Amino acid sequence: MKHLVCFLFIVAPVFGLQQSASAQNGLSWSPAVSPAPASLGGSSPRIALLADGTPVAVWGKAGTTPQIWCARWTGTAFSAPVQVNTGSIKPGVYDFGGLDMATFGQRVFVVFEDFDQGIYLARSDDGGATWQSPVTVFATPPGMGNTLPAIATDAAGNPIVTFLLQTASETDAHVELARSPDGGLTFSDYTNAGAPAGNNSGQACECCNQDILTAGADTVYVAFRANRNNLRDMWVTRSTDNAGTFTTACDVDAQDWVISSCPTSGPRLARMSGDSLLSVWMSKGSGLTRVYASTLHGGSMVKGSEFEMPASSPAAIFNQNHPDVAGSNDTIAMVWEETGFPGTGQDMVIAFSTTGAGGLSTNLGVQPETGTQKVPQLIYAGGVFHLIYTNGVQGLLYRQGTVVAPSATGEAVPEKDRLRVWPNPADATLFFETGAVMPENALVRIFDAAGLLVLEKQMATSGLKGQIETRSLQSGMYSIMVVADAQIHTATFLRL
């Protein structure tokens, strides 16, 4: 390609966000950690987990000498960044794409592009500490170009790579797929993954990322933005022979956006439970730049419900873009960029649900930061969401969002577990009352609007009631969590 949160999720999010009266579930976000100094870049950040749950981050540095870097989480910080071996190839690095990563066991795969020469794969067998020389995934035919690779691994740990093959002038793009039979040492079995979508063998948008999702031993799904005579909408295709052939497709996007140029924003896929999939994307088919989601039954390839994510910004004019989605079973989260926030301009919005896709649009939160936040990526495992993104002031950032109270079962919180606080807005002292008798001492935690723990005390209580001094808190929105007798009680309050 030549050109180119907080704990307050749980009850009453700030900035005029909608509240779900029955959703007492939330995420507690860790402070932001930088995987590397800004001098090493922050383009197209990616995050994946090793077999032991250790996060590994990969990102690019654009410029005249483009580079790809990798760092591994140590428990409290990231290891010193290691440069990924790209050999003599200058990788095409863009803020939204050009590289992707996948893991299997302790092995890390990074796929990257040179538009005129080909698609390449670098492999590490020790969790990203050292890198082998890159191998060719696909060599560009004369007069053609290839861009925006995506990667996943099959059940045996072999990488599957998709990319856009198009003319050198960036027209007539198609989603091609290459498989490795030997852990990424060689590639073969090239196929057109978009063909079942119709319209000139599944013609694709020239510069929108694809996404790959594997399920079981043989099923592979590919999501991409099709281009049907400038009607650019999202499709999911399916293979049931481990990406050997793609025979089934579903149009998951009813927005029917007609645009003459590529919007550089692709879809993302997540598997919820069984054959239930969730795809997310951006469209301006309505005339407004908004993020959408739709469910898909992977077994029958029949689309379910489609919904637009609601306004999260108080601004009259705002845009949503670059969504991602992750989760398992009924615990799922979405993240996207949104403009229009006073003072910060563009922040990330995160929708969270423990009741499946249907709960996402009623449980939203914002991570306000100084600096433009963009190109977030989200993954999930073991009750923790891992989020990586770029901040225009601070550079590359990483956070962990832990699922808190009650558990990821999708069950509503009983009345006895709920918390009432007063006065609200709070004065020097905040009083609280639960629906169940508390022990003599309860742990009280208060989180600010960014999800950071700002106050923690073991407080004396009397029956159902307790109190905590809040005079030290600055003006703003806060969340309070009372941990008593293995029960967690939560509420939000304002401090003027």
Side-chain angles (χ1 to χ4, degrees), residues 44-362:
S44 190
R46 299 290 187 264
I47 191 82
L49 302 177
L50 302 177
D52 61 1
T54 299
V56 177
V58 166
W59 67 96
K61 179 184 179 182
T64 56
T65 308
Q67 301 165 342
I68 299 175
W69 291 87
C70 174
R72 178 172 171 169
W73 183 248
T74 64
T76 56
F78 279 90
S79 61
V82 174
Q83 188 172 348
V84 175
N85 187 352
T86 60
S88 61
I89 304 298
K90 284 189 175 183
V93 175
Y94 323 111
D95 64 346
F96 65 96
L99 61 93
D100 198 13
M101 74 176 301
T103 56
F104 189 86
Q106 291 297 110
R107 187 168 286 172
V108 183
F109 301 101
V110 172
V111 65
F112 60 96
E113 68 170 83
D114 180 301
F115 184 87
D116 298 310
Q117 296 189 53
I119 302 296
Y120 302 90
L121 179 94
R123 191 183 84 176
S124 169
D125 291 334
D126 53 11
T130 61
W131 292 87
Q132 300 176 16
S133 297
V135 301
T136 301
V137 175
F138 182 82
T140 308
M144 303 294 285
N146 38 225
T147 189
L148 297 177
I151 188 170
T153 56
D154 64 16
N158 292 315
I160 300 172
V161 176
T162 61
F163 53 94
L164 293 176
L165 178 65
Q166 54 195 276
T167 67
S169 59
E170 300 185 68
T171 61
D172 194 26
H174 296 270
V175 181
E176 299 295 326
L177 181 145
R179 295 187 301 170
S180 173
D182 50 18
L185 298 178
T186 62
F187 283 83
S188 58
D189 298 328
Y190 304 106
T191 187
N192 182 341
N199 184 51
N200 190 21
S201 297
Q203 187 173 349
C205 218
E206 301 83 14
C207 50
C208 285
N209 299 70
Q210 321 95 58
D211 197 18
I212 316 172
L213 182 66
T214 58
D218 298 310
T219 303
V220 179
Y221 301 95
V222 173
F224 70 102
R225 190 188 294 273
N227 178 3
R228 298 175 290 159
N229 300 317
N230 286 332
L231 191 160
R232 302 176 189 247
D233 60 357
M234 301 301 180
W235 285 71
V236 176
T237 61
R238 185 190 67 186
S239 168
T240 55
D241 59 2
N242 200 30
T245 58
F246 284 79
T247 57
T248 313
C250 181
D251 183 351
V252 297
D253 175 5
Q255 301 308 309
D256 290 345
W257 185 15
V258 177
I259 180 175
S260 61
S261 60
C262 178
T264 63
S265 183
R268 296 286 290 176
L269 270 176
R271 185 180 180 188
M272 294 185 288
S273 59
D275 286 331
S276 181
L277 308 180
L278 184 66
S279 59
V280 300
W281 69 93
M282 178 276 287
S283 177
K284 200 177 178 181
S286 67
L288 303 172
T289 306
R290 298 290 184 265
V291 164
Y292 296 84
S294 66
T295 58
L296 173 68
H297 186 267
S300 63
M301 290 296 284
V302 173
K303 178 185 174 183
S305 60
E306 178 178 332
F307 51 94
E308 176 184 337
M309 298 311 294
S312 325
S313 167
I317 300 175
F318 66 95
N319 294 317
Q320 299 169 326
N321 203 354
H322 295 124
D324 198 8
V325 61
S328 177
N329 297 317
D330 287 336
T331 299
I332 195 157
M334 281 178 63
V335 60
W336 63 86
E337 308 164 352
E338 187 163 311
T339 63
F341 292 98
T344 56
Q346 179 172 296
D347 288 322
M348 288 184 305
V349 178
I350 304 179
F352 174 63
S353 173
T354 57
T355 57
L360 289 170
S361 60
T362 57

